[in-house]
Amino acid sequence: MSMLTPPGMGGKYRITGDVYPRMRRPHRRRRIVLGAAAAVLVLGAAGWGTLQLVDVFSGGDEKTTNAAGKQADCKAAPKAKPTATPGARTAGGAPLPKPAQITVNVYNATPRAGLAKTTADELKKRGFVIGKVGNAPVAYDKKVPGSALLLGSPGATKGAFSVVGTQLKAATTKVDARTTADVDLIIGTAFKTLDPKAAADAALVALNKPKPVPGRC
């Protein structure tokens, strides 16, 4: 019998050489691991249930109901369609003027002849009222380097400049001491032509489109 063989053990349990009896892990450790995992799951479920109860009593359902109701109202509300009818308003609350309500004086500040008349004729076709047509006053003759200058009273900044500006987006604006509602369009050196009618009409529609109120659909 080998010296490694405990007393009383023989036969198949006899240890000879490098052969040792296999020892199985006790089932007790496995039961402990499974029990610990089950406890973690139970505690997690209990914590989640507690959070749900807190959310209910703190108004979580009310927030969800309000959000769902608001979404339903937004879906039910009819969407506004783009229209060429002025819907936007000036800073003072008055509606923007229509082209037919704006008198435009067209002046040519360039050496090129005929620009004032051809421009005035095109503006008339687009619905504007044409006032005076001719060469620019001495103060501006050959002194407008850009495409055009819109000149008018301080009141023109509340709507007239914006409406006329849809016909020539590169135009700059300036106010003077006049008290009348007419607007001067002074053609500058860089002028080529008015914006295409389709582009000008689209710009006018966008200008008159009512802006959405913050917080609404």
Side-chain angles (χ1 to χ4, degrees):
M1 181 178 295
S2 173
M3 294 179 64
L4 297 178
T5 304
M9 295 183 64
K12 65 178 180 179
Y13 297 105
R14 182 179 180 184
I15 299 176
T16 59
D18 58 354
V19 178
Y20 300 88
R22 294 184 179 180
M23 306 297 289
R24 294 183 178 179
R25 291 185 178 179
H27 294 287
R28 183 179 179 183
R29 181 177 297 177
R30 182 179 300 174
R31 288 197 295 269
I32 293 175
V33 173
L34 293 176
V40 170
L41 291 176
V42 171
L43 290 175
W48 182 81
T50 302
L51 290 176
Q52 293 298 311
L53 289 175
V54 171
D55 186 57
V56 169
F57 286 106
S58 62
D61 287 346
E62 182 179 354
K63 293 179 182 179
T64 303
T65 303
N66 291 340
K70 184 176 180 180
Q71 185 176 7
D73 292 341
C74 290
K75 291 181 179 179
K79 295 182 179 180
K81 296 181 179 180
T83 173
T85 303
R89 293 181 177 273
T90 64
L96 287 174
K98 299 178 181 180
Q101 296 173 316
I102 302 175
T103 297
V104 183
N105 305 312
V106 185
Y107 298 111
N108 184 7
T110 76
R112 292 174 288 169
L115 286 182
K117 185 178 185 308
T118 56
T119 303
D121 290 343
E122 182 60 28
L123 286 174
K124 186 176 181 180
K125 293 178 182 178
R126 299 183 183 187
F128 291 90
V129 177
I130 302 302
K132 299 178 181 179
V133 179
N135 294 327
V138 177
Y140 296 100
D141 190 26
K142 300 179 182 62
K143 298 177 183 178
V144 180
S147 295
L149 171 66
L150 296 178
L151 189 63
S153 68
T157 60
K158 298 179 180 180
F161 280 168
S162 298
V163 176
V164 178
T166 60
Q167 310 302 307
L168 185 64
K169 289 186 286 292
T172 58
T173 60
K174 183 179 178 180
V175 298
D176 56 15
R178 79 181 69 186
T179 57
T180 56
D182 58 326
V183 175
D184 295 347
L185 172 59
I186 303 177
I187 299 173
T189 305
F191 178 85
K192 293 182 179 180
T193 183
L194 294 174
D195 290 351
K197 187 177 184 304
D201 289 345
L204 189 59
V205 170
L207 178 66
N208 287 292
K209 185 177 181 180
K211 296 182 179 180
V213 178
R216 296 192 176 182
C217 303

